[in-house]
Amino acid sequence: MKYWDSYLETMPRQDLDRLKIRRLQETVYRVYTFVPYYRKKMEEAGVAPVDIQSLEDINKLPFTTKQDLRDNYPFGLFAVPMTEVIRIHSSSGTTGKPTVVGYTKKDLDQWAELMARALISAGTSRRSVVQNAYGYGLFTGGLGIHYGAEKVGASVIPSSGGNTRRQVMLMQDFGTTVITCTPSYILYMYEVMQQLGIQPADIKLKAGIFGAEPWSETMRAEIENKLQIDAYDIYGLSEIIGPGVAVECSEKQGLHLWEDHFIAEVIDPESGEVLPYGSSGELVITTITKEALPMVRYRTRDLSSLTLEPCACGRTHMRMNKVVGRSDDMVIIRGVNVFPSMVESVLLTIDGVEPHYLLVVDRVGTLDELEVQVEVSEEVFSDEIRKLEELNQRIRNKLESALGVSVRVRLKEPGSIERSEGKARRVVDRRRL
Ligand code: DLL
Protein backbone atom coordinates (compact mmCIF):
# COMPACT_ATOMS: atom_id res chain seq x y z
CA MET A 1 0.00 0.00 0.00
CA LYS A 2 1.48 3.28 -1.10
CA TYR A 3 -0.74 5.74 0.77
CA TRP A 4 -3.00 5.47 3.78
CA ASP A 5 -5.43 8.03 2.36
CA SER A 6 -4.64 8.61 -1.28
CA TYR A 7 -7.35 11.26 -1.74
CA LEU A 8 -6.10 13.52 1.04
CA GLU A 9 -2.38 12.81 0.67
CA THR A 10 -2.31 13.64 -3.04
CA MET A 11 -4.84 16.46 -3.05
CA PRO A 12 -4.06 19.15 -5.67
CA ARG A 13 -2.56 22.33 -4.20
CA GLN A 14 -5.57 24.50 -5.05
CA ASP A 15 -7.94 22.19 -3.20
CA LEU A 16 -5.55 21.93 -0.26
CA ASP A 17 -5.32 25.71 -0.02
CA ARG A 18 -9.11 26.06 -0.14
CA LEU A 19 -9.42 23.53 2.66
CA LYS A 20 -6.71 25.29 4.66
CA ILE A 21 -8.27 28.72 4.56
CA ARG A 22 -11.71 27.42 5.48
CA ARG A 23 -10.32 25.46 8.41
CA LEU A 24 -8.13 28.34 9.51
CA GLN A 25 -11.14 30.65 9.61
CA GLU A 26 -13.07 28.13 11.69
CA THR A 27 -10.19 27.71 14.12
CA VAL A 28 -9.65 31.43 14.57
CA TYR A 29 -13.35 31.94 15.13
CA ARG A 30 -13.40 29.15 17.70
CA VAL A 31 -10.40 30.29 19.72
CA TYR A 32 -11.61 33.88 19.67
CA THR A 33 -14.98 32.77 21.01
CA PHE A 34 -13.94 30.12 23.51
CA VAL A 35 -10.44 30.93 24.77
CA PRO A 36 -10.19 34.24 26.68
CA TYR A 37 -6.39 34.25 26.24
CA TYR A 38 -6.66 34.24 22.44
CA ARG A 39 -9.40 36.84 22.39
CA LYS A 40 -7.27 39.15 24.54
CA LYS A 41 -4.16 38.63 22.42
CA MET A 42 -6.12 39.21 19.21
CA GLU A 43 -7.76 42.33 20.58
CA GLU A 44 -4.37 43.69 21.60
CA ALA A 45 -3.11 43.02 18.07
CA GLY A 46 -6.21 44.70 16.63
CA VAL A 47 -7.33 41.66 14.68
CA ALA A 48 -10.72 39.93 14.62
CA PRO A 49 -11.79 36.64 12.97
CA VAL A 50 -13.31 38.52 9.99
CA ASP A 51 -9.86 39.87 9.11
CA ILE A 52 -8.71 36.39 8.09
CA GLN A 53 -9.78 36.27 4.46
CA SER A 54 -6.81 34.61 2.81
CA LEU A 55 -3.97 32.29 3.86
CA GLU A 56 -1.57 35.25 3.86
CA ASP A 57 -3.73 36.94 6.48
CA ILE A 58 -2.40 34.44 9.00
CA ASN A 59 0.46 36.81 9.64
CA LYS A 60 -1.96 39.29 11.21
CA LEU A 61 -2.39 36.83 14.09
CA PRO A 62 -0.16 36.99 17.17
CA PHE A 63 2.28 34.18 17.94
CA THR A 64 1.78 31.70 20.77
CA THR A 65 4.77 30.49 22.79
CA LYS A 66 5.59 27.85 25.36
CA GLN A 67 5.52 30.62 27.94
CA ASP A 68 1.87 31.32 27.07
CA LEU A 69 1.09 27.67 27.75
CA ARG A 70 2.93 27.87 31.05
CA ASP A 71 1.12 31.07 32.02
CA ASN A 72 -2.16 29.30 31.42
CA TYR A 73 -1.12 26.09 33.19
CA PRO A 74 -2.64 23.57 33.22
CA PHE A 75 -5.83 23.82 31.11
CA GLY A 76 -6.21 27.55 30.43
CA LEU A 77 -5.87 27.31 26.65
CA PHE A 78 -8.34 24.47 26.19
CA ALA A 79 -11.16 25.42 23.85
CA VAL A 80 -13.66 22.80 25.04
CA PRO A 81 -15.11 21.95 28.46
CA MET A 82 -13.16 19.28 30.39
CA THR A 83 -16.05 16.85 29.88
CA GLU A 84 -15.02 16.72 26.22
CA VAL A 85 -11.34 16.08 27.00
CA ILE A 86 -10.64 12.35 27.06
CA ARG A 87 -6.82 12.29 27.19
CA ILE A 88 -4.14 14.47 28.70
CA HIS A 89 -0.43 14.37 27.86
CA SER A 90 2.40 16.61 28.89
CA SER A 91 5.93 17.32 27.84
CA SER A 92 8.53 17.37 30.57
CA GLY A 93 10.67 20.36 29.63
CA THR A 94 13.86 21.05 31.50
CA THR A 95 12.72 24.04 33.50
CA GLY A 96 9.52 25.01 35.26
CA LYS A 97 6.11 23.47 34.87
CA PRO A 98 5.46 20.95 32.14
CA THR A 99 3.35 21.83 29.11
CA VAL A 100 -0.07 20.23 29.32
CA VAL A 101 -2.04 19.20 26.24
CA GLY A 102 -5.54 17.73 25.87
CA TYR A 103 -7.46 15.76 23.25
CA THR A 104 -11.14 15.21 22.48
CA LYS A 105 -12.36 11.94 20.99
CA LYS A 106 -12.16 13.50 17.54
CA ASP A 107 -8.61 14.78 18.18
CA LEU A 108 -7.47 11.27 19.11
CA ASP A 109 -9.13 9.75 16.02
CA GLN A 110 -7.47 12.35 13.85
CA TRP A 111 -4.08 11.81 15.47
CA ALA A 112 -4.34 8.06 14.83
CA GLU A 113 -5.24 8.82 11.18
CA LEU A 114 -2.19 11.05 10.78
CA MET A 115 0.04 8.47 12.45
CA ALA A 116 -1.36 5.80 10.11
CA ARG A 117 -0.44 8.03 7.16
CA ALA A 118 3.01 8.50 8.66
CA LEU A 119 3.64 4.81 9.25
CA ILE A 120 2.56 3.81 5.74
CA SER A 121 4.70 6.59 4.30
CA ALA A 122 7.68 5.22 6.24
CA GLY A 123 7.51 1.67 5.00
CA THR A 124 5.02 0.07 7.40
CA SER A 125 2.07 -2.12 6.39
CA ARG A 126 -0.48 -4.41 8.03
CA ARG A 127 2.03 -7.20 7.64
CA SER A 128 4.60 -5.35 9.75
CA VAL A 129 5.51 -6.25 13.30
CA VAL A 130 6.03 -2.86 14.93
CA GLN A 131 8.05 -2.66 18.12
CA ASN A 132 7.22 0.68 19.67
CA ALA A 133 10.07 1.64 21.97
CA TYR A 134 9.03 5.26 22.49
CA GLY A 135 8.09 5.82 26.13
CA TYR A 136 4.46 5.15 27.04
CA GLY A 137 2.96 7.58 29.51
CA LEU A 138 2.68 11.33 29.58
CA PHE A 139 5.10 11.53 26.64
CA THR A 140 3.16 11.55 23.36
CA GLY A 141 5.58 9.22 21.55
CA GLY A 142 4.36 5.89 22.94
CA LEU A 143 0.58 6.18 22.71
CA GLY A 144 0.70 8.36 19.60
CA ILE A 145 2.57 5.80 17.54
CA HIS A 146 0.66 2.94 19.18
CA TYR A 147 -2.81 3.93 17.98
CA GLY A 148 -1.56 4.73 14.50
CA ALA A 149 0.14 1.36 14.18
CA GLU A 150 -3.01 -0.44 15.37
CA LYS A 151 -5.06 1.54 12.88
CA VAL A 152 -2.75 0.40 10.07
CA GLY A 153 -3.38 -3.14 11.26
CA ALA A 154 0.24 -3.95 12.04
CA SER A 155 1.07 -6.26 14.96
CA VAL A 156 2.12 -3.84 17.67
CA ILE A 157 4.58 -4.66 20.46
CA PRO A 158 4.17 -1.91 23.07
CA SER A 159 7.65 -2.38 24.50
CA SER A 160 8.02 1.27 25.61
CA GLY A 161 11.49 2.66 26.38
CA GLY A 162 14.14 0.98 28.52
CA ASN A 163 15.21 -2.55 29.41
CA THR A 164 17.40 -2.74 26.36
CA ARG A 165 18.30 -6.42 26.58
CA ARG A 166 14.62 -7.27 26.64
CA GLN A 167 14.06 -5.00 23.62
CA VAL A 168 16.63 -6.97 21.71
CA MET A 169 15.14 -10.28 22.83
CA LEU A 170 11.67 -9.19 21.73
CA MET A 171 13.06 -8.04 18.43
CA GLN A 172 14.59 -11.41 17.83
CA ASP A 173 11.84 -13.65 19.20
CA PHE A 174 8.80 -11.77 17.87
CA GLY A 175 10.32 -11.03 14.46
CA THR A 176 10.08 -7.24 14.68
CA THR A 177 10.19 -5.67 11.20
CA VAL A 178 9.74 -2.00 12.13
CA ILE A 179 11.23 -0.33 15.20
CA THR A 180 10.09 3.05 16.46
CA CYS A 181 12.27 4.92 18.97
CA THR A 182 14.69 7.83 19.16
CA PRO A 183 17.72 7.67 16.84
CA SER A 184 20.05 7.67 19.84
CA TYR A 185 18.22 4.72 21.37
CA ILE A 186 18.51 2.51 18.28
CA LEU A 187 22.29 2.98 18.40
CA TYR A 188 22.29 1.86 22.01
CA MET A 189 20.17 -1.16 21.07
CA TYR A 190 22.69 -1.95 18.37
CA GLU A 191 25.50 -1.92 20.92
CA VAL A 192 23.59 -4.32 23.13
CA MET A 193 22.93 -6.55 20.09
CA GLN A 194 26.65 -6.63 19.50
CA GLN A 195 27.36 -7.53 23.12
CA LEU A 196 24.90 -10.40 22.77
CA GLY A 197 26.51 -11.51 19.53
CA ILE A 198 23.41 -10.79 17.42
CA GLN A 199 24.01 -9.68 13.84
CA PRO A 200 21.56 -7.71 11.66
CA ALA A 201 21.14 -10.86 9.53
CA ASP A 202 19.84 -12.72 12.60
CA ILE A 203 16.80 -10.43 12.95
CA LYS A 204 14.01 -9.38 10.59
CA LEU A 205 14.23 -5.63 11.08
CA LYS A 206 13.64 -3.71 7.83
CA ALA A 207 12.83 -0.17 8.85
CA GLY A 208 13.03 2.25 11.73
CA ILE A 209 10.98 5.40 12.31
CA PHE A 210 13.07 7.76 14.36
CA GLY A 211 12.35 11.17 15.82
CA ALA A 212 11.74 13.19 18.98
CA GLU A 213 15.28 14.61 18.75
CA PRO A 214 17.47 16.06 16.00
CA TRP A 215 19.68 13.67 14.03
CA SER A 216 21.90 14.34 11.06
CA GLU A 217 22.11 12.72 7.61
CA THR A 218 25.39 11.15 8.67
CA MET A 219 23.63 9.63 11.66
CA ARG A 220 21.05 8.18 9.26
CA ALA A 221 23.82 6.59 7.18
CA GLU A 222 25.38 5.20 10.35
CA ILE A 223 22.10 3.62 11.51
CA GLU A 224 21.24 2.27 8.04
CA ASN A 225 24.66 0.70 7.59
CA LYS A 226 24.96 -0.77 11.03
CA LEU A 227 21.48 -2.26 11.20
CA GLN A 228 20.92 -2.81 7.48
CA ILE A 229 17.55 -1.04 7.55
CA ASP A 230 15.79 1.99 6.09
CA ALA A 231 15.77 4.83 8.62
CA TYR A 232 12.95 7.39 8.34
CA ASP A 233 12.53 10.67 10.16
CA ILE A 234 9.32 11.53 11.98
CA TYR A 235 8.62 14.92 13.52
CA GLY A 236 6.11 16.24 15.96
CA LEU A 237 5.60 18.03 19.24
CA SER A 238 3.09 17.67 22.04
CA GLU A 239 1.77 21.21 21.72
CA ILE A 240 0.68 20.55 18.14
CA ILE A 241 -0.49 16.93 18.49
CA GLY A 242 2.56 14.72 19.21
CA PRO A 243 4.40 12.55 16.68
CA GLY A 244 2.96 12.56 13.17
CA VAL A 245 3.00 16.26 12.29
CA ALA A 246 5.45 15.45 9.47
CA VAL A 247 7.19 12.35 8.21
CA GLU A 248 9.51 11.19 5.47
CA CYS A 249 8.44 9.06 2.52
CA SER A 250 10.49 6.55 0.53
CA GLU A 251 12.35 9.46 -1.10
CA LYS A 252 13.86 10.57 2.25
CA GLN A 253 14.14 14.12 0.95
CA GLY A 254 12.36 16.10 3.62
CA LEU A 255 9.29 15.39 5.74
CA HIS A 256 5.75 15.80 4.39
CA LEU A 257 3.84 18.06 6.74
CA TRP A 258 0.11 17.29 6.71
CA GLU A 259 -1.31 20.53 5.42
CA ASP A 260 -4.95 19.55 5.76
CA HIS A 261 -4.40 19.72 9.55
CA PHE A 262 -1.50 22.13 10.05
CA ILE A 263 -0.36 25.40 8.54
CA ALA A 264 3.42 25.82 8.68
CA GLU A 265 5.46 28.99 8.35
CA VAL A 266 9.13 29.73 8.80
CA ILE A 267 10.06 32.97 10.52
CA ASP A 268 13.17 34.89 11.40
CA PRO A 269 13.46 34.04 15.11
CA GLU A 270 14.75 37.52 15.92
CA SER A 271 12.34 39.76 14.05
CA GLY A 272 9.36 37.40 13.72
CA GLU A 273 9.18 38.22 10.00
CA VAL A 274 7.79 35.44 7.76
CA LEU A 275 10.49 34.07 5.45
CA PRO A 276 9.98 32.75 1.90
CA TYR A 277 10.03 29.04 1.03
CA GLY A 278 13.54 27.64 1.10
CA SER A 279 14.82 29.98 3.82
CA SER A 280 15.94 28.54 7.12
CA GLY A 281 14.41 29.81 10.29
CA GLU A 282 12.06 28.92 13.13
CA LEU A 283 9.12 26.72 12.32
CA VAL A 284 5.74 28.13 13.33
CA ILE A 285 2.70 25.87 13.24
CA THR A 286 -1.04 26.55 13.42
CA THR A 287 -3.43 23.66 13.98
CA ILE A 288 -6.59 23.90 11.88
CA THR A 289 -8.58 20.86 13.03
CA LYS A 290 -7.72 20.40 16.69
CA GLU A 291 -10.68 20.74 19.07
CA ALA A 292 -9.35 20.58 22.64
CA LEU A 293 -6.20 22.62 22.22
CA PRO A 294 -6.03 24.62 19.02
CA MET A 295 -2.68 26.37 18.59
CA VAL A 296 -2.42 29.58 16.65
CA ARG A 297 1.00 30.35 15.23
CA TYR A 298 2.88 28.29 17.78
CA ARG A 299 6.59 29.07 17.85
CA THR A 300 8.22 25.64 17.92
CA ARG A 301 11.82 26.86 18.43
CA ASP A 302 12.78 24.20 15.88
CA LEU A 303 14.95 25.35 13.02
CA SER A 304 14.08 24.08 9.56
CA SER A 305 12.94 25.23 6.12
CA LEU A 306 9.95 24.45 3.91
CA THR A 307 9.55 23.54 0.26
CA LEU A 308 6.59 23.25 -2.10
CA GLU A 309 8.64 21.39 -4.73
CA PRO A 310 6.72 18.33 -5.94
CA CYS A 311 7.90 15.03 -4.46
CA ALA A 312 8.43 11.88 -6.52
CA CYS A 313 6.27 9.89 -4.08
CA GLY A 314 3.18 11.72 -5.34
CA ARG A 315 2.19 13.30 -2.03
CA THR A 316 1.34 16.95 -2.57
CA HIS A 317 1.84 18.14 1.01
CA MET A 318 4.76 20.51 1.52
CA ARG A 319 7.98 19.20 2.96
CA MET A 320 10.06 20.50 5.84
CA ASN A 321 13.75 19.81 5.92
CA LYS A 322 15.25 17.75 8.70
CA VAL A 323 15.30 19.87 11.85
CA VAL A 324 18.81 21.20 12.43
CA GLY A 325 18.23 21.78 16.12
CA ARG A 326 16.27 23.82 18.57
CA SER A 327 17.10 27.44 19.05
CA ASP A 328 17.40 26.70 22.78
CA ASP A 329 19.77 23.78 22.13
CA MET A 330 22.06 26.02 20.17
CA VAL A 331 25.11 27.10 22.10
CA ILE A 332 26.66 30.44 21.36
CA ILE A 333 30.41 30.23 21.76
CA ARG A 334 32.09 33.60 21.59
CA GLY A 335 29.31 34.79 19.33
CA VAL A 336 29.29 31.77 17.02
CA ASN A 337 26.17 29.59 16.86
CA VAL A 338 26.90 25.91 17.28
CA PHE A 339 24.34 23.09 17.04
CA PRO A 340 25.00 19.58 18.30
CA SER A 341 23.89 18.28 14.88
CA MET A 342 26.77 20.18 13.21
CA VAL A 343 29.23 18.50 15.53
CA GLU A 344 27.55 15.14 14.91
CA SER A 345 27.86 15.45 11.11
CA VAL A 346 31.59 16.09 11.41
CA LEU A 347 32.31 13.40 13.98
CA LEU A 348 30.60 10.66 12.05
CA THR A 349 32.80 11.20 9.01
CA ILE A 350 35.88 10.24 11.03
CA ASP A 351 36.99 6.61 11.27
CA GLY A 352 37.34 5.22 14.76
CA VAL A 353 34.81 7.66 16.22
CA GLU A 354 31.57 6.31 17.71
CA PRO A 355 28.22 8.14 17.41
CA HIS A 356 28.20 9.08 21.09
CA TYR A 357 29.22 12.60 21.99
CA LEU A 358 28.61 15.48 24.35
CA LEU A 359 29.23 19.22 24.10
CA VAL A 360 30.40 20.78 27.33
CA VAL A 361 30.42 24.54 27.44
CA ASP A 362 32.15 26.46 30.17
CA ARG A 363 33.37 29.95 30.87
CA VAL A 364 36.96 30.36 31.89
CA GLY A 365 37.46 33.93 33.06
CA THR A 366 35.46 35.83 30.49
CA LEU A 367 36.01 33.36 27.66
CA ASP A 368 33.60 30.66 26.57
CA GLU A 369 35.15 27.30 25.98
CA LEU A 370 33.71 24.41 24.05
CA GLU A 371 34.82 20.92 24.83
CA VAL A 372 33.62 18.11 22.61
CA GLN A 373 33.71 14.75 24.33
CA VAL A 374 33.70 11.93 21.89
CA GLU A 375 33.86 8.21 22.26
CA VAL A 376 36.32 6.24 20.22
CA SER A 377 36.09 2.62 19.16
CA GLU A 378 37.66 -0.20 21.16
CA GLU A 379 40.35 -0.63 18.50
CA VAL A 380 41.39 3.01 18.51
CA PHE A 381 41.32 3.20 22.27
CA SER A 382 43.92 0.50 22.61
CA ASP A 383 46.25 2.25 20.15
CA GLU A 384 49.44 4.02 21.17
CA ILE A 385 49.18 7.44 22.77
CA ARG A 386 50.76 9.02 19.71
CA LYS A 387 47.98 7.69 17.48
CA LEU A 388 45.32 8.92 19.88
CA GLU A 389 46.92 12.33 19.87
CA GLU A 390 46.90 12.35 16.10
CA LEU A 391 43.22 11.43 16.06
CA ASN A 392 42.45 14.13 18.61
CA GLN A 393 44.20 16.70 16.43
CA ARG A 394 42.40 15.49 13.29
CA ILE A 395 38.98 15.75 14.97
CA ARG A 396 39.87 19.16 16.32
CA ASN A 397 40.94 20.48 12.92
CA LYS A 398 37.80 19.20 11.24
CA LEU A 399 35.51 20.59 13.93
CA GLU A 400 37.23 23.96 13.98
CA SER A 401 37.01 24.42 10.25
CA ALA A 402 33.35 23.33 10.19
CA LEU A 403 32.22 25.35 13.20
CA GLY A 404 34.49 28.37 13.03
CA VAL A 405 35.36 28.32 16.73
CA SER A 406 38.21 26.78 18.66
CA VAL A 407 37.36 23.50 20.29
CA ARG A 408 38.96 21.23 22.83
CA VAL A 409 38.48 17.58 22.03
CA ARG A 410 38.42 14.94 24.71
CA LEU A 411 38.55 11.34 23.56
CA LYS A 412 36.59 9.08 25.84
CA GLU A 413 36.81 5.37 26.32
CA PRO A 414 34.16 3.14 24.71
CA GLY A 415 30.87 3.07 26.61
CA SER A 416 31.70 6.03 28.87
CA ILE A 417 29.26 8.59 27.53
CA GLU A 418 25.79 8.16 28.99
CA ARG A 419 23.41 6.18 26.73
CA SER A 420 19.84 7.33 26.31
CA GLU A 421 16.66 5.29 26.12
CA GLY A 422 14.71 8.34 25.01
CA LYS A 423 15.84 11.81 24.04
CA ALA A 424 19.64 12.07 24.24
CA ARG A 425 21.26 14.91 26.14
CA ARG A 426 23.90 16.44 23.87
CA VAL A 427 24.82 19.66 25.67
CA VAL A 428 25.98 20.47 29.16
CA ASP A 429 26.20 24.21 29.62
CA ARG A 430 28.11 24.93 32.80
CA ARG A 431 27.93 28.67 32.20
CA ARG A 432 24.36 28.76 33.50
CA LEU A 433 25.06 26.78 36.66
O1 DLL B 1 9.02 14.46 20.86
C1 DLL B 1 6.90 14.00 19.83
C2 DLL B 1 7.52 12.90 19.05
C3 DLL B 1 7.51 11.62 19.55
C4 DLL B 1 8.04 13.13 17.80
C5 DLL B 1 8.04 10.59 18.80
C6 DLL B 1 8.57 12.11 17.03
C7 DLL B 1 8.57 10.84 17.54
P1 DLL B 1 7.86 16.61 22.61
O2 DLL B 1 8.33 15.77 23.73
O3 DLL B 1 6.85 17.66 22.88
O4 DLL B 1 7.22 15.72 21.49
O5 DLL B 1 9.15 17.26 21.96
C8 DLL B 1 9.03 18.01 20.79
O6 DLL B 1 11.22 17.37 20.02
O7 DLL B 1 9.92 20.58 19.26
C9 DLL B 1 11.71 19.10 18.53
O8 DLL B 1 12.59 19.99 19.19
C10 DLL B 1 12.05 17.68 18.92
N1 DLL B 1 11.77 16.77 17.80
C11 DLL B 1 10.71 15.97 17.62
N2 DLL B 1 10.83 15.26 16.48
C12 DLL B 1 12.01 15.64 15.91
C13 DLL B 1 12.70 15.29 14.72
C14 DLL B 1 7.84 14.72 20.77
N3 DLL B 1 12.25 14.36 13.88
C15 DLL B 1 10.38 18.49 20.33
N4 DLL B 1 13.88 15.93 14.47
C16 DLL B 1 10.30 19.26 19.05
C17 DLL B 1 14.35 16.86 15.31
C18 DLL B 1 12.59 16.61 16.75
N5 DLL B 1 13.75 17.22 16.45
Side-chain angles (χ1 to χ4, degrees):
M1 194 155 122
K2 196 170 172 201
Y3 309 113
W4 172 251
D5 188 327
S6 55
Y7 171 70
L8 288 171
E9 289 176 54
T10 63
M11 198 178 234
R13 168 104 338 243
Q14 252 194 344
D15 297 350
L16 253 181
D17 283 349
R18 259 202 295 269
L19 190 62
K20 281 166 73 173
I21 179 64
R22 185 167 57 73
R23 290 183 166 176
L24 174 66
Q25 286 171 327
E26 276 168 20
T27 296
V28 172
Y29 176 76
R30 244 163 11 87
V31 298
Y32 187 82
T33 313
F34 298 119
V35 187
Y37 156 86
Y38 277 116
R39 178 187 284 254
K40 184 163 168 282
K41 283 269 282 233
M42 285 173 60
E43 281 171 358
E44 278 166 11
V47 53
V50 292
D51 297 323
I52 310 302
Q53 293 300 331
S54 70
L55 281 174
E56 289 69 51
D57 289 339
I58 196 169
N59 69 18
K60 296 180 179 163
L61 296 164
F63 294 117
T64 309
T65 64
K66 206 174 190 80
Q67 191 56 43
D68 295 321
L69 276 159
R70 292 216 171 101
D71 293 346
N72 290 281
Y73 177 83
F75 308 139
L77 293 191
F78 287 10
V80 297
M82 281 308 280
T83 46
E84 299 297 310
V85 174
I86 64 163
R87 172 98 65 79
I88 293 168
H89 279 285
S90 89
S91 90
S92 53
T94 41
T95 49
K97 293 275 191 196
T99 307
V100 182
V101 299
Y103 302 78
T104 63
K105 169 91 179 52
K106 189 165 158 230
D107 290 336
L108 287 184
D109 289 346
Q110 234 144 235
W111 187 14
E113 267 305 298
L114 294 186
M115 268 312 312
R117 282 190 203 175
L119 288 158
I120 297 281
S121 168
T124 309
S125 75
R126 53 190 287 273
R127 285 177 295 283
S128 304
V129 178
V130 177
Q131 185 167 333
N132 184 19
Y134 285 110
Y136 281 64
L138 284 171
F139 177 52
T140 52
L143 289 176
I145 305 257
H146 183 96
Y147 285 103
E150 280 192 352
K151 188 156 225 165
V152 164
S155 314
V156 188
I157 310 170
S159 61
S160 193
N163 203 339
T164 311
R165 278 179 171 248
R166 191 187 61 178
Q167 299 276 3
V168 172
M169 182 191 81
L170 293 175
M171 210 186 283
Q172 202 173 20
D173 295 352
F174 295 3
T176 303
T177 59
V178 176
I179 184 94
T180 54
C181 62
T182 56
S184 51
Y185 192 34
I186 190 65
L187 286 171
Y188 183 23
M189 280 191 214
Y190 176 77
E191 278 186 342
V192 173
M193 274 173 60
Q194 295 238 292
Q195 286 160 14
L196 298 172
I198 298 167
Q199 301 307 321
D202 303 333
I203 57 172
K204 295 197 174 138
L205 203 62
K206 297 208 165 34
I209 308 176
F210 306 118
E213 65 185 11
W215 53 306
S216 60
E217 278 302 333
T218 29
M219 178 75 99
R220 187 207 308 269
E222 178 96 16
I223 294 173
E224 293 193 329
N225 290 335
K226 282 189 160 158
L227 285 126
Q228 298 293 302
I229 59 171
D230 276 306
Y232 300 94
D233 195 355
I234 183 164
Y235 171 81
L237 59 165
S238 337
E239 295 85 335
I240 297 303
I241 200 163
V245 173
V247 70
E248 282 181 334
C249 59
S250 52
E251 301 300 311
K252 297 180 191 160
Q253 299 283 327
L255 296 81
H256 291 281
L257 185 140
W258 305 123
E259 287 184 75
D260 50 339
H261 295 273
F262 312 111
I263 296 181
E265 306 165 82
V266 162
I267 61 162
D268 176 333
E270 302 292 320
S271 66
E273 185 200 342
V274 178
L275 300 176
Y277 287 104
S279 313
S280 301
E282 179 181 339
L283 192 63
V284 170
I285 304 179
T286 301
T287 67
I288 49 173
T289 50
K290 281 265 293 298
E291 289 183 336
L293 182 63
M295 276 285 134
V296 174
R297 303 193 88 199
Y298 184 70
R299 291 190 60 161
T300 64
R301 299 274 162 208
D302 293 322
L303 301 164
S304 181
S305 58
L306 298 170
T307 175
L308 277 178
E309 290 288 309
C311 180
C313 78
R315 289 179 182 79
T316 48
H317 296 240
M318 69 169 67
R319 281 169 294 158
M320 59 182 269
N321 275 314
K322 251 176 139 25
V323 171
V324 190
R326 290 179 61 78
S327 54
D328 39 14
D329 234 12
M330 175 180 85
V331 285
I332 305 177
I333 312 289
R334 297 192 286 275
V336 178
N337 300 348
V338 174
F339 287 102
S341 60
M342 293 155 78
V343 171
E344 179 179 295
S345 307
V346 174
L347 292 178
L348 295 185
T349 59
I350 303 172
D351 275 349
V353 166
E354 295 291 316
H356 307 288
Y357 64 95
L358 187 67
L359 278 65
V360 181
V361 192
D362 212 342
R363 182 162 289 162
V364 180
T366 52
L367 268 194
D368 295 336
E369 287 204 344
L370 171 62
E371 175 178 283
V372 175
Q373 302 186 350
V374 40
E375 253 183 56
V376 292
S377 66
E378 201 72 61
E379 257 170 25
V380 170
F381 197 69
S382 50
D383 261 343
E384 310 155 25
I385 298 279
R386 186 181 51 84
K387 287 213 176 134
L388 284 172
E389 275 169 3
E390 269 170 26
L391 177 65
N392 190 313
Q393 190 60 42
R394 195 144 40 94
I395 298 175
R396 192 172 145 195
N397 290 345
K398 280 206 168 187
L399 281 174
E400 290 187 344
S401 69
L403 306 177
V405 284
S406 57
V407 176
R408 191 169 59 227
V409 172
R410 179 178 295 193
L411 301 183
K412 305 273 285 183
E413 79 184 88
S416 61
I417 289 182
E418 193 193 344
R419 301 294 188 261
S420 102
E421 295 169 348
K423 296 181 192 251
R425 189 170 72 138
R426 304 290 194 196
V427 180
V428 174
D429 195 340
R430 300 210 169 111
R431 293 174 300 186
R432 288 189 213 125
L433 299 181

